[in-house]
Amino acid sequence: MARRRLGFWPRLAAVLVKPTLTVWTRRTWRGMEHLPREGGVIIVANHLSHADPLVSAHFIFDSGRWPQYLAKASLFRIPVVGWILHRCRQIPVERGTVDAARSLATLVKAVEAGGAVVIYPEGTTSREPELWPMRGKTGAARLALATGAPVVPIAMWGPEQMFDPRTSKVGLRPRIPVTVVAGPPIDLSRWSGAAPSRTTLEEVSDTIMLRLRDMLAEIRGGTPPPLWERSPRTQRQQQGGVA
């Protein structure tokens, strides 16, 4: 497994964090076989809560891979915190249009080096009132077109009970039920070799988010709504990000 080659700091992080999550959550994991054991992969997930990275990291680690998340580059400049993030192989990403190309290059390098890069295509926790997926930003689509790496979807439900972004309520009771399901790589062959035009990027992004929405509907039950649209003001505020 790829995680057997982990260094000291990633292993220490797993030793410190995993026991807490084992007590805090009651897990239903499905579809781990869809995560390749070796080689670069782009993992895309719906974004319910600030607890999502903990839950998805637990799932990805149990599948045999070390997850590499995007983090604001400013965090890497904080003493101690930045040092730990670097040692744990997390990825600094600059926000804003000026640094978008540099951030994409960093992500491409991580995937081509064989990393399991995790992206939340929405770029933020869902603003849809019932936490259904929103339309995504184009970062995951750009990375997929640039690398040709498999794009594996992960749908989650339950982290919102650990921290609900709508109410800022933290759930501290043990064994909160969480479900994480990985699906087969998304077929993006239609856009193989395509230039990253705005139309192409939006089509690829919508394809990714619709798959995540439908996977989430299988977990939650019921008929999912259309992808939630940000307000024009919110879209202007969030333009230019990579994730």
Side-chain angles (χ1 to χ4, degrees):
M1 288 185 186
R3 80 177 188 195
R4 288 178 181 167
R5 297 190 292 271
L6 291 177
F8 172 78
W9 289 101
R11 287 189 180 279
L12 179 61
V15 167
L16 293 175
V17 175
K18 187 174 176 178
T20 299
L21 291 174
T22 301
V23 173
W24 197 1
T25 63
R26 176 165 52 86
R27 296 158 304 286
T28 301
W29 292 164
R30 297 200 300 270
M32 284 183 178
E33 67 275 10
H34 297 302
L35 286 166
R37 292 296 187 262
E38 301 283 346
V41 60
I42 302 165
I43 299 170
V44 292
N46 63 310
H47 204 357
L48 303 162
S49 163
H50 298 304
D52 292 349
L54 294 173
V55 173
S56 59
H58 193 176
F59 176 86
I60 295 165
F61 184 81
D62 279 1
S63 80
R65 297 301 300 263
W66 179 251
Q68 292 180 269
Y69 289 86
L70 283 58
K72 293 179 181 180
S74 58
L75 294 176
F76 288 77
R77 294 188 282 269
I78 299 174
V80 181
V81 173
W83 188 85
I84 292 173
L85 289 172
H86 273 300
R87 295 304 183 276
C88 290
R89 305 181 190 175
Q90 303 312 299
I91 303 170
V93 176
E94 300 284 355
R95 300 290 183 178
T97 56
V98 174
D99 294 303
R102 184 192 312 165
S103 295
L104 179 62
T106 301
L107 295 173
V108 169
K109 184 177 179 180
V111 172
E112 292 180 343
V117 175
V118 186
I119 295 182
Y120 296 103
E122 294 157 284
T124 186
T125 54
S126 178
R127 300 298 190 258
E128 201 277 336
E130 299 300 321
L131 299 180
W132 289 99
M134 305 186 293
R135 287 197 73 189
K137 297 166 72 175
T138 59
R142 289 181 187 276
L143 185 59
L145 293 178
T147 63
V151 178
V152 175
I154 287 182
M156 297 184 291
W157 187 243
E160 75 287 347
Q161 297 182 56
M162 301 165 69
F163 178 83
D164 193 325
R166 297 166 296 186
T167 62
S168 297
K169 180 180 178 180
V170 178
L172 296 177
R173 64 183 175 86
R175 295 183 57 77
I176 292 174
V178 295
T179 299
V180 183
V181 179
I186 300 171
D187 182 6
L188 302 177
S189 58
R190 170 185 168 189
W191 297 281
S192 179
S197 66
R198 171 57 58 178
T199 297
T200 295
L201 292 171
E202 289 180 350
E203 288 175 351
V204 173
S205 182
D206 284 350
T207 298
I208 291 170
M209 293 311 304
L210 287 169
R211 170 69 73 83
L212 290 172
R213 182 201 66 178
D214 293 345
M215 289 174 62
L216 182 60
E218 291 179 8
I219 297 172
R220 296 177 60 174
T223 302
L227 293 176
W228 195 77
E229 293 274 5
R230 296 176 174 88
S231 68
R233 179 180 178 182
T234 303
Q235 287 177 332
R236 287 193 299 271
Q237 290 173 342
Q238 295 183 345
Q239 276 181 337
V242 171

